[in-house]
Amino acid sequence: MDFGMIAVLDSITKTIVGNNNAGLFLRRFHREYGTKKLITFLKNAVVENMVIGRYLRWKAERNFGFSPGLQITFSPLSKCNLTCAGCYADTDFYEEQLDPAIVSRVIKEGKRIGIRSFAIMGGEPFLWEGLFEVLEANPDVLITIVTNGTLIDDGMAKKLAEADNAFPFLSIDGFKERNDAWRGEGVYDRVVNAMACLKRHRVLFGFSVTVTTDNFDEVSSAEFIDFLMGKGAYYGAYSPWGPAGRNPGFGYMLTDGQVEYLFERLGMLEKTRPIFFHKEGHFDGTSLNCGCGAGRVVNILPDGSVEPCNAIHFSTGNVRSQSLLDILNHPFYKAIRNHADSDSGHRCVGLFRSQETLDIAIHSGAKPTNPHVPHRMQIVSNYLKARSDANNDAEKRKT
């Protein structure tokens, strides 16, 4: 592929995705993976998702009254081999695992209404018995796998290469000292080894960072990003930590100003490097999402329950007995979509408007997918209100 074609693809990708470094990314991809894989990647990531998918989502809005989101996430099991600090998941809550045949059915239903991006989460997805069955059953879909990376060795990397439609995202929260303080001793070395295995077997992969007050500077440094690119990473997903899981630990949470600065810093670094970043969490108004995706970016649990997202743990539908479209048309999900759309700050409503979200869930007859959720949401709401009041008082004192 000559540089003229790269320039054309660069222009198209910039127009659709909005990234200023598309040419750098495409040249790197072509150099390391070749023309055939580059064309396949662009077909899945750009043409299928951002062109065909966008048209089908527009069509769904005309036919059904709402535009579906860009992604469905599956949490097919709660089991995990790690116990990371601040994890949003209760890893001992579900004993069953989601049937891979149901996952494939939902993927097909999602594709019909314009959803082209699907992610397998957990627990730890490489402990899910149905992972490779789903990859094999959906060869035309690029499936993101959000993993702690500790179970990926040469044998696993070889299987992923043979499947050719997996896009693993390995969780890493800084260099060795900071990462292992959050995820456990020895985890960093295992994740770096997993990256080496994936690179050796030519499996496209990215990384996922949970950003806290502890690792804020480190994970947004040029040194950290250059290190991960050198290991083979092509994509970085940055999520500012929000109070979640068994141990909220509010001290980990960034301020609004820190989040804005983080995203500006990543944006500057992205302009000069052949890597894309996805910035989510506190402010979800990215060029792709255009705001909080709750009620559109649904999360499906091991028992088939459908949450409006993986930050709002309530459900009124189950894919074991209902179609995805019927579930999304339920008044609960409609109310959550309207709630998300009404937030002018493009914030995560599961976090920053948790009390209102809780009220909507109760009024809609939604059931918590974890019995501890209502209490936790009220704790978070009280904390964020107190923090906001303190910030307002500080601003008044300045003036």
Side-chain angles (χ1 to χ4, degrees), residues 49 86-87 117 128 145 174 193 212 214 230 283 368 386:
N49 199 348
C87 180
S117 180
W128 180 39
I145 305 172
N193 179 68
T212 70
D214 286 344
F283 300 95

Side-chain angles (χ1 to χ4, degrees), residues 17 45 56 63 71 145 197 207 246 263 283 288 304 343 391:
V17 182
L56 291 174
N63 291 337
Q71 186 177 69
I145 305 172
C197 294
F207 63 93
R246 299 177 295 275
F263 290 173
F283 300 95
L288 298 185
D343 192 275
N391 290 340

Side-chain angles (χ1 to χ4, degrees), residues 151-279:
L151 301 178
I152 297 176
D153 55 15
D154 272 309
M156 188 67 74
K158 185 174 184 293
K159 288 182 68 177
L160 291 169
E162 290 169 352
D164 200 36
N165 61 336
F167 193 178
F169 273 61
L170 281 65
S171 297
I172 187 166
D173 297 319
F175 290 114
K176 187 170 184 175
E177 183 178 352
R178 291 192 186 278
N179 183 82
D180 286 3
W182 185 260
R183 295 188 171 271
E185 185 176 352
V187 171
Y188 176 84
D189 289 337
R190 294 166 70 184
V191 172
V192 171
N193 179 68
M195 291 181 179
C197 294
L198 293 170
K199 186 176 182 179
R200 186 159 46 247
H201 289 277
R202 298 171 56 79
V203 177
L204 185 69
F205 72 91
F207 63 93
S208 176
V209 179
T210 300
V211 189
T212 70
T213 49
D214 286 344
N215 69 358
F216 171 77
D217 285 323
E218 186 165 289
V219 298
S220 60
S221 68
E223 180 187 10
F224 183 69
I225 291 164
D226 289 344
F227 169 77
L228 292 173
M229 283 199 311
K231 294 298 177 184
Y234 268 80
Y235 205 103
Y238 279 77
S239 302
W241 184 85
R246 299 177 295 275
N247 177 23
F250 295 111
Y252 294 129
M253 187 175 176
L254 303 181
T255 65
D256 293 354
Q258 285 175 318
V259 174
E260 291 174 343
Y261 177 70
L262 169 71
F263 290 173
E264 289 175 4
R265 194 169 175 178
L266 291 173
M268 292 299 293
L269 290 168
E270 188 178 46
K271 289 178 181 179
T272 59
R273 285 163 172 78
I275 188 169
F276 288 161
F277 295 127
H278 179 68
K279 302 172 282 289

Side-chain angles (χ1 to χ4, degrees), residues 21 67-68 72 85 87 109 133 136 139 190 193 200 216 228 235 254 330 344 362 387 391:
N21 66 335
S67 175
I72 295 174
C87 180
E109 291 178 359
E133 182 176 336
E136 291 166 8
R190 294 166 70 184
N193 179 68
R200 186 159 46 247
F216 171 77
L228 292 173
Y235 205 103
L254 303 181
H330 188 279
S344 59
I362 293 171
R387 191 174 84 159
N391 290 340

